[in-house]
Amino acid sequence: MKLRGTAETLIGIDVVDFEVSEPKLILSNCSVSNMNRIATGSIDIAYSRSVMEHVDNVDAAYSEIHRVLRPGGKYLFLTPNFWDYVSLISCVIPNRLHGKLVKFAEGRPESETFPVYYRSNTHYRINKLSRKHKLKVVDFKYFGQYPSALLFSDALFRAGSTYEKLLERYRYLHFLRGWILCILSKTE
């Protein structure tokens, strides 16, 4: 909804059910790994936020992204960095417990928590998958994160804030920052 008026047609996809009645807004209940309702070569710009960490079959996702993009089309995505402490912790805790932990730490409903796989959440993996699926990495940046997962404890929150400042200060530690912003371009 925030992108209304920015393009002739907007297409929204999600794996959860949703309804929005807006002209020039096409909504589809599907996965980035199977966007069969979207025509080949029909997308100029695709964007996702906090999606790629939830994709189990990243080869299918990158293949679909390549398929739906027009030549020169771009895919921008923001995703958690696998090397961030929150991601590493979530990897060792079974997915079935994530909802309870998120509710405790952040107060979000358990229903807003989805399984994580982190199969496209490192510089190495994104480069490898992009090359394999004829996509070029145009830009790749690490960003810090507000330590909201630590708000349940003043001491841990302060430690998380100090850690973030440390990572921000030293460029050689940026690979540990919480978020990745990546722009891919269809090369053919």
Side-chain angles (χ1 to χ4, degrees):
M1 294 302 292
K2 291 178 183 178
L3 296 174
R4 280 183 300 192
T6 61
E8 185 177 321
T9 303
L10 295 171
I11 301 171
I13 68 166
D14 207 327
V15 294
V16 297
D17 292 326
F18 56 93
E19 285 187 30
V20 177
S21 59
E22 279 287 319
K24 297 190 177 187
L25 177 59
I26 300 165
L27 303 174
S28 185
N29 184 266
C30 65
S31 164
V32 70
S33 299
N34 184 1
M35 298 183 280
N36 58 3
R37 296 180 186 144
I38 299 175
T40 298
S42 64
I43 304 296
D44 293 312
I45 298 174
Y47 166 77
S48 69
R49 181 178 148 259
S50 300
V51 170
M52 294 308 284
E53 69 274 18
H54 301 290
V55 177
D56 185 16
N57 187 345
V58 291
D59 269 313
Y62 275 72
S63 179
E64 279 292 271
I65 290 162
H66 180 271
R67 183 186 67 76
V68 301
L69 286 176
R70 288 189 172 126
K74 306 275 190 285
Y75 173 52
L76 296 79
F77 65 99
L78 181 68
T79 191
N81 179 8
F82 175 78
W83 299 113
D84 175 58
Y85 63 92
V86 173
S87 299
L88 291 171
I89 291 168
S90 75
C91 283
V92 297
I93 296 172
N95 275 318
R96 62 183 159 70
L97 299 177
H98 288 188
K100 291 179 187 341
L101 287 171
V102 167
K103 185 175 181 180
F104 169 76
E106 298 180 24
R108 273 192 294 141
E110 290 183 41
S111 61
E112 292 181 11
T113 306
F114 303 96
V116 291
Y117 302 101
Y118 299 109
R119 296 192 173 136
S120 178
N121 296 79
T122 66
H123 191 260
Y124 174 79
R125 288 289 293 154
I126 291 167
N127 278 325
K128 184 175 180 178
L129 287 159
S130 296
R131 278 192 308 274
K132 179 177 180 181
H133 296 281
K134 298 179 184 167
L135 295 163
K136 179 182 178 186
V137 177
V138 176
D139 200 4
F140 183 98
K141 292 183 179 146
Y142 294 106
F143 288 94
Q145 71 173 356
Y146 183 75
S148 60
L150 304 175
L151 279 171
F152 65 92
S153 164
D154 286 343
L156 287 176
F157 179 77
R158 280 194 295 277
S161 296
T162 302
Y163 178 74
E164 279 301 318
K165 289 176 186 175
L166 177 74
L167 297 183
E168 183 179 2
R169 176 181 248 179
Y170 298 104
R171 189 159 191 79
Y172 64 90
L173 294 177
H174 281 194
F175 79 98
L176 297 171
R177 297 185 85 189
W179 290 92
I180 292 171
L181 176 64
C182 189
I183 302 173
L184 305 179
S185 178
K186 185 171 178 175
T187 57
E188 43 177 276

